Amino acid sequence: MRRTLVTVAVVATVSSVGAALRTSSWGVGVLGAVFFLVLAAVMVAYVRGVGLVLTEREVVATGWGRNRRHPRAAVARVLRATIAPSRGRPYDNLFLLDAYGRVLVRLYGIHYTAADIDRLLHVLGVPCVGPDRPLAPAEFDRFHPGMLLWIERRPGLFAALLLVGVLPVVVAAVLIAMWAQGAL
């Protein structure tokens, strides 16, 4: 998380100063800095809000202002898997499953150390199953359908939808800014 926040701070500083120098308007630079600071604040709020509380009777998953509570006895087994996306690093996942194989809680390994995950598995004391090697999202979905978000299963489609949705907004914002500056 620290590395990501430092990266956001560096990008915010460089892009804000660059935009201010290019346009000779510090307002553009300040607007860019505010955007990146808001983005960083959202990231910090998300990571600070994500967690798991394990009591004698309950498993409570926290995140984005809502808590999902499940009786601890409902956790029948844990599926531990490493998902290897086509781009990026593989990441560990824990799926706490009920007796019917439904996902009660999903934990992303990027938020926890390996020692924390091992300690959680030991304290839960339920069987842990999973593939012995990293799997691509599509391959994992064949073995365990419906456990991954559609964004993970189809990153290309998500990127295309994001491009179709965001690109017109960016182009419109640039055109409006150019019109306001008198460049159009």
Side-chain angles (χ1 to χ4, degrees):
M1 184 64 187
R2 280 191 191 117
R3 187 177 355 164
T4 302
L5 289 177
V6 168
T7 302
V8 167
V10 169
V11 168
T13 303
V14 170
S15 64
S16 299
V17 170
L21 292 174
R22 265 193 317 260
T23 62
S24 299
S25 169
W26 286 101
V28 172
V30 169
L31 185 63
V34 167
F35 169 77
F36 282 111
L37 289 174
V38 167
L39 180 65
V42 168
M43 290 170 48
V44 168
Y46 170 73
V47 169
R48 288 200 175 266
V50 171
L52 183 78
V53 177
L54 185 64
T55 68
E56 290 180 17
R57 295 187 182 143
E58 282 187 316
V59 175
V60 183
T62 61
W64 284 111
R66 67 180 180 130
N67 296 337
R68 289 168 291 161
R69 299 176 176 275
H70 301 283
R72 186 169 170 175
V75 180
R77 65 186 172 150
V78 175
L79 173 63
R80 186 176 192 172
T82 302
I83 306 297
S86 58
R87 295 182 186 205
R89 293 184 306 179
Y91 54 96
D92 286 329
N93 289 269
L94 283 184
F95 298 90
L96 306 183
L97 306 173
D98 66 8
Y100 301 104
R102 293 181 300 219
V103 177
L104 299 173
V105 176
R106 178 180 180 184
L107 298 175
Y108 295 90
I110 58 173
H111 300 300
Y112 306 96
T113 65
D116 289 339
I117 292 173
D118 291 338
R119 191 171 65 239
L120 172 66
L121 293 172
H122 176 72
V123 171
L124 273 173
V126 296
C128 181
V129 298
D132 57 351
R133 63 183 174 82
L135 299 176
E139 188 178 11
F140 180 83
D141 193 53
R142 276 195 304 269
F143 293 118
H144 306 284
M147 288 191 177
L148 296 179
L149 300 171
W150 73 270
I151 293 170
E152 293 172 291
R153 294 188 312 259
R154 295 181 181 84
L157 176 61
F158 175 68
L161 290 174
L162 190 63
L163 185 66
V164 167
V166 172
L167 188 61
V169 173
V170 171
V171 169
V174 168
L175 290 175
I176 290 171
M178 289 174 65
W179 177 75
Q181 296 274 331
L184 283 180

